[in-house]
Amino acid sequence: MNIMIVGCDRVGQALAEQLGGEGNNVTVIDIDAEKVRGLTARLDVKGVIGNGATHAVQGEAGIGDADLLIAVTGSDELNLLCCLIAKKAGNDCKTIARIQNPDYSAEAPYLKDELGLAMVINPEYTAAAEIARVLRFPSAIKIDTFARGRVELMKFRMPEGSRLVGMTVRDVVAKLGCDVLVCTIERGDEAYIVNGNSVFAERDIISIIASPRNAADFFRKIDYKMRPVKRVIVAGGGEIAHYLCTILRPTGTKVKIIEKDHERAGELSVELDEVDVIEGDASDRELLLEEGIRGSEAFVALTNLDEENIFLSLFAKSVGCGKVITKVNRVDFDDVIKHLDLDSTLYPKNVTADMIVRYVRAMKNSRGSNMETLYNVIKGKVEAAEFKVREESAVTDTPLKELTFKDQVLIAAIIHDEQVIIPRGHDRIRVGDRVIVVSRPMGLDDISDILL
């Protein structure tokens, strides 16, 4: 596909890297020449320097042949204008606009219809929804869904003293009787797709695939916390915190926000009358203790400073807080952060980019590919893809044990007639099934690509 990306900040860079790496023809546009040159030097993408909201610059970038334009600059108005020009100038070009202002976000359905946008995405709301999913199941570090929620991929850290320590992956089924599939283990700097003989160790980060009900059964049997969080303390009263409160409101979760800006604290008090808003500095240790962080069910660090979020989260962990979620804007030090004793780390830029990438894959699916969804399980090392089997091929109607798969490929789940099947050797893939495949990054486009 021919894709144009207007805006080369962190979201634009993440999109260019992911979409370019999947074989798309990507062109980036930004008024900042240094950003454009940096991306084109690092990635196999084209670059145009200039204002992406002008017909001339879009024309120079090749809008006439573009399949999709994604506007992710720091200005909502500029993003909408970019999309409007692309709709007029392009040849049936689809458009996506990033919107951050809550006023525009509330008008998203109207803007989408009136401007003919393919998607309007709000990074703050998307990040809040991700946090809410983890608070629903606090045992998890991260939760991704497949097959419209019928299958979940959950990543969690094994606690010290867990009954899984010393067990093999094969033992999970034989001894616990759990219908789940263990996909990956991360141990220190090592990360790999498991086999039946892989042995669990303390502090491993494990990912499993299962239906929501079977996942709950698995966590119950290993004595892992399952009860959704009902009380949470949030440091920072920005838009993510506002959206999080809105999402949690129907669940009855009690939220306490600590915000040091007087004006912002007043706004939140008025807009969120069911939320306890504390005007104060969340970096004040005594204030946090006074407001009940010691032993609290959950703590979410959402200030504007990555360093402050990390330190606050480490403090929350040290005083016995149950679940800790940390917002980090910069991805540069991801390799360092993952070694810290943090529960869940949220990168809003990556969450936004992932949603857009999934839409692009759906577009490609309509043109012949049968991949519908793809997630990074372990960034750069392991992926999980969902395929829709539309026709007979070399993978259909043959027992899995008789197929020869490429190295590091795992059939994680089969959804047949709404039933979730954790596959064994005798199971078969049939036309109409949805199949979840876990593999190392190998550019899979069709379900048959998993075979040698």
Side-chain angles (χ1 to χ4, degrees):
M1 289 177 59
N2 297 319
I3 300 174
M4 293 170 55
I5 301 171
V6 184
C8 293
D9 65 2
R10 293 189 182 98
V11 173
Q13 292 175 31
L15 285 169
E17 184 171 0
Q18 291 185 58
L19 295 174
E22 294 181 13
N24 299 292
N25 300 315
V26 176
T27 301
V28 297
I29 303 173
D30 200 290
I31 201 166
D32 189 323
E34 185 176 345
K35 288 182 179 179
V36 174
R37 294 192 185 106
L39 265 182
T40 54
R42 184 167 61 89
L43 306 174
D44 184 20
V45 299
K46 298 177 182 178
V48 174
I49 301 168
N51 184 350
T54 64
H55 181 272
V57 171
Q58 288 194 15
E60 181 184 350
I63 190 64
D65 296 321
D67 299 301
L68 176 67
L69 178 137
I70 308 169
V72 288
T73 75
S75 166
D76 293 351
E77 293 82 3
L78 191 63
N79 291 338
L80 292 170
L81 183 56
C82 288
C83 292
L84 188 60
I85 291 172
K87 291 293 293 184
K88 298 293 184 181
N91 181 21
D92 194 29
C93 178
K94 307 294 184 184
T95 57
I96 295 175
R98 182 176 73 171
I99 299 297
Q100 296 172 292
N101 188 317
D103 293 335
Y104 291 143
S105 183
E107 299 286 332
Y110 174 81
L111 292 171
K112 185 173 181 291
D113 292 340
E114 292 300 313
L115 300 183
L117 304 175
M119 178 188 293
V120 175
I121 187 165
N122 181 325
E124 283 72 24
Y125 184 89
T126 305
E130 180 96 351
I131 294 170
R133 277 198 298 273
V134 174
L135 292 176
R136 177 181 63 84
F137 208 111
S139 301
I141 294 174
K142 191 173 188 293
I143 302 173
D144 292 319
T145 61
F146 298 91
R148 301 182 182 92
R150 295 187 190 92
V151 180
E152 292 182 328
L153 188 153
M154 294 186 172
K155 183 180 288 191
F156 68 99
R157 186 186 296 276
M158 190 145 60
E160 295 179 5
S162 169
R163 64 180 301 186
L164 293 183
V165 173
M167 291 176 64
T168 66
V169 170
R170 189 175 289 108
D171 290 337
V172 172
V173 176
K175 294 183 178 180
L176 299 183
C178 297
D179 197 17
V180 304
L181 186 126
V182 181
C183 302
T184 65
I185 292 177
E186 298 172 62
R187 184 176 301 157
D189 292 323
E190 298 180 6
Y192 52 89
I193 298 173
V194 303
N195 58 47
N197 296 319
S198 299
V199 179
F200 297 115
E202 288 187 350
R203 307 301 293 165
D204 280 352
I205 296 177
I206 300 167
S207 65
I208 66 168
I209 280 185
S211 68
R213 176 178 294 182
N214 289 338
D217 180 55
F218 168 74
F219 283 108
R220 189 181 303 110
K221 288 182 177 178
I222 65 172
D223 301 320
Y224 215 99
K225 181 180 178 182
M226 298 180 300
R227 187 170 61 87
V229 167
K230 288 301 180 183
R231 292 183 179 274
V232 57
I233 297 175
V234 178
E239 294 302 337
I240 295 179
H242 184 283
Y243 287 125
L244 178 61
C245 292
T246 302
I247 296 170
L248 293 178
R249 181 183 293 146
T251 70
T253 303
K254 301 296 183 182
V255 182
K256 181 181 291 185
I257 297 178
I258 302 175
E259 169 58 46
K260 64 181 177 181
D261 183 82
H262 174 73
E263 184 176 348
R264 180 58 178 169
E267 292 174 354
L268 291 171
S269 296
V270 173
E271 296 169 2
L272 305 169
D273 56 1
E274 75 285 1
V275 173
D276 188 4
V277 180
I278 307 299
E279 184 181 335
D281 189 348
S283 64
D284 184 336
R285 180 176 181 274
E286 295 305 318
L287 176 63
L288 288 175
L289 291 172
E290 183 180 324
E291 296 303 330
I293 193 170
R294 178 177 280 119
S296 63
E297 288 187 68
F299 176 77
V300 184
L302 297 177
T303 77
N304 292 324
L305 297 175
D306 290 353
E307 296 84 354
E308 185 172 352
N309 289 336
I310 292 169
F311 282 123
L312 289 175
S313 297
L314 291 173
F315 175 67
K317 290 287 291 181
S318 73
V319 296
C321 186
K323 181 68 181 181
V324 176
I325 301 175
T326 312
K327 184 192 77 168
V328 179
N329 288 316
R330 296 184 59 184
V331 298
D332 313 56
F333 299 104
D334 182 41
D335 289 339
V336 176
I337 292 171
K338 73 179 183 180
H339 290 292
L340 300 176
D341 187 23
L342 300 174
D343 284 346
S344 296
T345 306
L346 176 77
Y347 296 89
K349 308 298 183 185
N350 285 353
V351 173
T352 304
D354 286 346
M355 283 194 69
I356 295 174
V357 169
R358 285 196 287 275
Y359 173 81
V360 172
R361 289 176 183 134
M363 282 186 65
K364 293 178 72 174
N365 176 54
S366 67
R367 302 183 179 196
S369 165
N370 57 26
M371 180 191 291
E372 299 206 338
T373 307
L374 188 142
Y375 293 99
N376 281 312
V377 181
I378 304 172
K379 187 177 180 181
K381 296 180 179 180
V382 181
E383 298 175 337
E386 177 184 347
F387 294 91
K388 172 72 173 179
V389 183
R390 292 184 169 81
E391 58 186 23
E392 293 183 358
S393 69
V395 303
T396 57
D397 299 314
T398 301
L400 296 180
K401 63 185 177 183
E402 297 180 15
L403 298 175
T404 305
F405 299 104
K406 291 178 178 177
D407 186 39
Q408 294 288 287
V409 168
L410 183 67
I411 306 297
I414 299 171
I415 297 87
H416 178 73
D417 290 339
E418 308 299 319
Q419 178 188 3
V420 177
I421 300 169
I422 300 301
R424 311 301 174 200
H426 62 274
D427 289 308
R428 303 166 186 253
I429 297 171
R430 296 178 173 83
V431 174
D433 289 350
R434 292 180 180 272
V435 182
I436 314 301
V437 176
V438 175
S439 71
R440 58 182 173 81
M442 55 179 63
L444 299 176
D445 187 54
D446 187 89
I447 183 67
S448 62
D449 293 340
I450 64 177
L451 300 179
L452 280 174

